[in-house]
Amino acid sequence: MNPRLFAVSGPLKDTTFPLAKTEVTLGRDPSNLLSISDPSLSRRHCTIYFQGDQYSIRDLDSRNGTFVNGAAVKNCQLQHGDLIAVGDSVFNLQLHDETEKLSSGPVEFDDVYALATEQLNPQDVVYLQPDRLLRELPTNARLALTLNALLKISRVVHTIRDLEELQDQILAQAFEVIPAERGAILLDHNGSQQFDSVFARHRAASSKSPVRVSRTITRQVLQQGLAVLAADVPGSGGLSGVESLVVSNIRSLLCVPLMLFDKITGCIYLDTASLANRFDKDHLQLLAAIAGISSVALDNARRLQWLEQENLRLITEINLEHNMVGESPRMKEVYQFLSRVAPTNSTILIEGESGTGKELAARAIHRSSPRSSKPFIAINCGAIPEGLIESELFGHEKGAFTSATAQKKGRLELANGGVVFLDEIGELAPSVQVKLLRVLQEREFERVGGTRSLPLDIRLIAATNKNLEQEVKNGSFRQDLYYRINVMSLVMPSLRERPEDIPSLVEYFVAKYSSRCQVKPKRISREAMACLINYDWPGNVRELENAIERALVLGSSEIVRPEDLPESILEKDPPIGMIAARYHSAVKEHKKQLIISAMHETRGNYTEAARILGVHPNYLHRLIKNLEMKESLRPFTNGSGSKEKLSGTML
């Protein structure tokens, strides 16, 4: 067994974490054995532990949950190949190597130099030039063995797709014709010489000790593109003081480059401690030939591995896109509510201002419910014209109306077995409200133009930014439908009710949009963060998200400063203890004077004042609220010429 976690996505993407037969905790706190810098994680999120002969995972009451293969878990046993999702990270659990015969060991580098007794240009490899091979090398048993090994490698490398198995086979075939005791294949596709892939093994499959590699030799091979033979390592003069190599007693080594279209993509390294079987020029020629045959196959296998990992990352990213961020008391209440209602089939009404994350909450319920493998269909009732909403929801039969040239299934029918999320349900027309009520009561529906009732199994989650109770009193929303959808209710808190979550949200959006927009992550200055916390956020989390994306893309320095934020945020008075920049103070005062002048000229008429200023009346209302001018304008609004009164409501 070689148990390990491979990070498919998230902050630790493409790294591997070995698992011992002990308990490993995961979370945001540095005290965890696997600490992940991710604000969507809890401080102690989950733990992976070994019991009997089985690995298991236990969720530590995290706020966003722990998922195994897409399903939320509290405590479950793990299998080889399971996908573990926590926050923005997905890990692939590998309990054993795909091929049990692999005996890969770790690689250790030593910054030492071994004097090369022979160097070889890949273009001069005799075994890759048939004419020179017959002319320069005698036909004997050793040549026959060598050619047979090259033929086997040529056949093997084109039948193996797994990168580790391919590297194991290449080294195994090399051991058959070269008296090496240890070997390593080091791949470096971006020219950094840091080796993004290393594979090492001993001739003796039972040995697990590290394979020590000379960093100086490998760097020389990668830089010069020449194969190197160090036939007498102790006599080179550069190794006698290196304790690790003295203990290993290395006598000779080989290192040859892997070439792909004149580009060096890595190297193959072999060494031995045997006095009787030192490497010679023929071994150098042979290993260079093996590298020439294997380089394309290794590059293809690595690219295939990357594509498979990227595909897995993109698939799992869908489930990671909807995590909520925040640890304020209000958000903890939300998490507790979601965890309690998710396993049920109850209808849920989610209320809250626009941009508070109502759809995120609905998706979280779906993801943690028994219907998680079934469809999640989101419908914005306010975005579909009234004349089409009934057909969109329930579908229609052929010939039901002029343009109905074929039968069409509605979105409710497409969601059968899953969850339907009706956003802005308060915008539904009265006629559609009646049909929706019947669906919820009878669990059946009819297509437009149809005469046959069809059974329907859905869970309904509705959302609105209106006060439905008031809409019922006004007669614009059916009372019986309101009672039917309001079985379980949740009010998503506005961002101004949980300002302590703003730093975590900012950190999350900086990481998200620096990656998505391909810009360098930026630090938020203390002054900019104070402005963000001080602002009222009428657009809530959605407005904050847009502000951070704008600051990252349009910011003029490596630090987000107040001037990089939207102007509406800077219109608020600075927080206590912070002095506003002279420029912003002057702009704000000028705005106030313009508004006072316009209001004075129109004797308190907001519509006329907005026309004079060249702005929409709603924008003028927002300016007056942000600039806190309501009291200073009261003499105008109380005048005889006033036809309107200032409302504190944002329109």
Side-chain angles (χ1 to χ4, degrees), residues 584-604:
H584 299 304
S585 297
V587 171
K588 187 186 299 183
E589 288 302 317
H590 187 58
K591 288 181 180 180
K592 288 183 177 180
Q593 290 303 318
L594 287 174
I595 293 173
I596 291 174
S597 176
M599 293 293 286
H600 181 271
E601 184 177 343
T602 61
R603 298 200 305 175

Side-chain angles (χ1 to χ4, degrees), residues 41-273:
L41 287 181
S42 298
R43 296 187 182 278
R44 285 174 54 83
H45 199 95
C46 65
T47 179
I48 297 176
Y49 59 95
F50 190 84
Q51 192 172 33
D53 59 349
Q54 180 78 44
Y55 280 95
S56 299
I57 189 168
R58 181 170 62 251
D59 183 77
L60 300 178
D61 295 326
S62 63
R63 66 179 187 277
N64 285 332
T66 301
F67 300 86
V68 176
N69 299 323
V73 299
K74 289 298 182 183
N75 196 341
C76 78
Q77 292 184 341
L78 297 172
Q79 304 294 330
H80 175 74
D82 281 348
L83 290 179
I84 302 170
V86 289
D88 276 342
S89 298
V90 173
F91 296 93
N92 184 277
L93 177 66
Q94 296 291 314
L95 295 181
H96 54 75
D97 294 324
E98 294 297 330
T99 306
E100 290 298 332
K101 63 182 177 182
L102 299 185
S103 55
S104 173
V107 171
E108 290 186 358
F109 289 97
D110 287 313
D111 288 313
V112 297
Y113 180 74
L115 182 63
T117 57
E118 187 76 23
Q119 292 185 328
L120 177 66
N121 193 309
Q123 297 176 349
D124 298 329
V125 179
V126 176
Y127 292 111
L128 299 180
Q129 304 176 57
D131 293 339
R132 287 187 59 193
L133 179 64
L134 296 175
R135 185 173 66 251
E136 298 182 17
L137 293 180
T139 303
N140 53 33
R142 179 174 176 179
L143 177 59
L145 181 63
T146 297
L147 293 177
N148 182 57
L150 292 177
L151 180 61
K152 287 176 64 177
I153 289 177
S154 181
R155 280 189 285 203
V156 165
V157 297
H158 295 296
T159 59
I160 299 175
R161 299 172 61 186
D162 181 76
L163 181 59
E164 282 199 6
E165 184 181 357
L166 176 60
Q167 292 175 109
D168 179 73
Q169 285 296 314
I170 291 172
L171 291 178
Q173 295 298 324
F175 288 158
E176 288 190 11
V177 290
I178 300 175
E181 297 179 64
R182 287 161 295 275
I185 297 178
L186 316 171
L187 301 180
D188 169 42
H189 77 285
N190 56 12
S192 64
Q193 299 181 18
Q194 296 299 317
F195 302 117
D196 51 20
S197 173
V198 295
F199 182 92
R201 63 164 292 176
H202 295 254
R203 176 183 290 271
S206 59
S207 178
K208 292 294 183 180
S209 59
V211 174
R212 303 188 186 278
V213 176
S214 168
R215 192 187 302 273
T216 306
I217 286 290
T218 56
R219 185 179 293 122
Q220 175 188 335
V221 169
L222 293 177
Q223 289 175 347
Q224 300 178 4
L226 298 176
V228 169
L229 163 64
D232 185 16
V233 173
S236 66
L239 306 176
S240 58
V242 181
E243 182 180 352
S244 59
L245 292 186
V246 171
V247 173
S248 300
N249 200 25
I250 303 301
R251 294 293 176 177
S252 56
L253 61 84
L254 290 167
C255 190
V256 301
L258 291 162
M259 304 287 294
L260 183 67
F261 305 116
D262 298 325
K263 178 185 177 182
I264 301 173
T265 59
C267 61
I268 302 179
Y269 171 90
L270 299 179
D271 68 27
T272 181

Side-chain angles (χ1 to χ4, degrees), residues 286-362:
L286 179 54
L287 188 60
I290 293 173
I293 294 172
S294 307
S295 58
V296 174
L298 285 168
D299 188 70
N300 287 340
R302 182 171 53 180
R303 290 178 183 274
L304 178 62
Q305 183 184 70
W306 181 87
L307 287 172
E308 290 174 344
Q309 292 171 356
E310 183 69 5
N311 183 51
L312 182 61
R313 183 188 68 81
L314 291 173
I315 291 174
T316 54
E317 190 177 80
I318 298 173
N319 292 330
L320 302 174
E321 198 68 28
H322 309 291
N323 290 325
M324 290 178 285
V325 178
E327 293 188 2
S328 62
R330 290 298 306 275
M331 287 306 295
K332 287 181 178 178
E333 291 176 5
V334 171
Y335 302 143
Q336 185 178 15
F337 175 86
L338 297 180
S339 65
R340 294 178 64 181
V341 302
T344 72
N345 275 317
S346 300
T347 301
I348 299 171
L349 175 63
I350 304 177
E351 300 176 284
E353 298 177 11
S354 179
T356 52
K358 296 186 288 294
E359 185 170 346
L360 299 185

Side-chain angles (χ1 to χ4, degrees), residues 18 72 157 180 213 257 269 294 302 309 340 363 414 417 425 431 454 470 475 500 521 543 549 555 587 612 639:
V157 297
V213 176
Y269 171 90
S294 307
R302 182 171 53 180
Q309 292 171 356
R340 294 178 64 181
R363 290 186 180 274
L414 293 175
I425 193 172
S431 60
L454 302 174
Q470 185 61 43
E500 60 268 44
E543 185 182 2
E549 181 181 6
V587 171
I612 291 175

